[in-house]
Amino acid sequence: MELTTDRLLLRRWREEDRDGFAAMNSDPVVMEHFVSVLSRAESDALLDRIEAGFARDGFGLWALEERSSASLMGMTGIQRVPFCAPFTPAVEVGWRLRASAWGGGYATEAASAAVAFGFDTAGLEEIVAMTTPSNSRSIAVMERLGMQRDRDADFDHPRIPAGHPLRRHILYRVQAGVHSQPRT
Ligand SMILES: CC(C)(COP(=O)(O)OP(=O)(O)OC[C@H]1O[C@@H](n2cnc3c(N)ncnc32)[C@H](O)[C@@H]1OP(=O)(O)O)[C@@H](O)C(=O)NCCC(=O)NCCS
């Protein structure tokens, strides 16, 4: 399953994407709000897990390609939250773009298509998004998508060690029928 928007193609991953994916995942600017950058092996393993998720669920974090240049800009999509928390089971929308692709509205454009797929094709009733309170760029995407913060749902990320400054996370939600075209 591929999704297209005015400027973007959301497609399955190819072997030749691994270099670009690893470059993005090793960039400290891109990974500022994560516990660490990814090694090449960690990046390859993540790509393998993403592709396994597509095979299992029929959706996942798509490779994001700029249609005009066919260049890989990052990933955007929906996936089952891969850990237990008070709000799971749930499907989350997520995004990670190479730094040179920030500031053009691409993440919001791609995420809007992914959310629409989740509601209209996958039949989901709700999609969540999560991040650290410090990740203002990601929070801005959530708000442009019309997602609402659930202030009662702040949580400690179970995969981040106790005491780590990035452990506390905030949760946004959007329900089917509420999602509309993003505000730009
Ligand atoms: C989070 C992330 C995807 C946001 O990317 P982004 O480019 O800021 O987000 P958008 O696609 O919504 O683009 C919005 C920006 O593009 C601008 N823009 C330019 N042209 C635009 C257009 N045609 N349409 C819409 N917005 C446009 C907007 O004005 C806005 O600019 P601003 O940041 O100065 O306010 C990116 O910062 C990233 O990959 N971060 C690292 C990974 C990460 O933290 N992921 C989230 C983990 S929870």
Side-chain angles (χ1 to χ4, degrees):
M1 172 60 72
E2 293 185 345
L3 308 180
T4 52
T5 69
D6 286 350
R7 298 179 294 173
L8 302 167
L9 171 65
L10 285 73
R11 62 161 174 77
R12 294 286 291 271
W13 293 87
R14 302 175 185 145
E15 281 304 307
E16 60 264 32
D17 296 324
R18 288 183 185 270
D19 287 351
F21 190 56
M24 174 178 76
N25 292 327
S26 69
D27 182 346
V29 173
V30 172
M31 301 303 282
E32 178 186 353
H33 301 282
F34 294 83
V35 172
S36 62
V37 298
L38 299 190
S39 68
R40 176 62 193 243
E42 289 167 335
S43 179
D44 282 345
L46 173 58
L47 199 152
D48 292 343
R49 285 199 302 278
I50 291 169
E51 275 297 312
F54 273 109
R56 185 186 62 232
D57 299 324
F59 54 76
L61 292 160
W62 283 274
L64 187 62
E65 185 177 297
E66 184 182 34
R67 290 171 63 184
S68 63
S69 65
S71 69
L72 182 69
M73 306 180 85
M75 66 177 171
T76 304
I78 52 173
Q79 66 170 0
R80 298 198 179 283
V81 176
F83 54 78
C84 287
F87 58 87
T88 63
V91 171
E92 65 172 327
V93 58
W95 35 73
R96 186 182 303 171
L97 273 57
R98 58 176 161 81
S100 58
W102 297 3
Y106 298 108
T108 298
E109 185 173 319
S112 183
V115 167
F117 174 89
F119 290 140
D120 301 341
T121 305
L124 303 173
E125 292 179 359
E126 182 180 74
I127 294 173
V128 302
M130 68 189 80
T131 192
T132 59
S134 58
N135 195 344
S136 52
R137 281 187 168 273
S138 193
I139 292 167
V141 177
M142 296 170 197
E143 293 185 345
R144 280 191 282 269
L145 290 171
M147 303 184 84
Q148 301 282 333
R149 182 171 174 187
D150 179 351
R151 292 189 172 271
D152 296 325
D154 290 7
F155 67 104
D156 289 330
H157 198 300
R159 292 190 172 171
I160 299 179
H164 193 287
L166 295 176
R167 189 164 196 231
R168 200 71 181 154
H169 272 57
I170 58 175
L171 190 80
Y172 276 70
R173 301 180 188 266
V174 63
Q175 286 79 34
V178 175
H179 173 249
S180 57
Q181 290 305 306
R183 292 174 288 114
T184 51

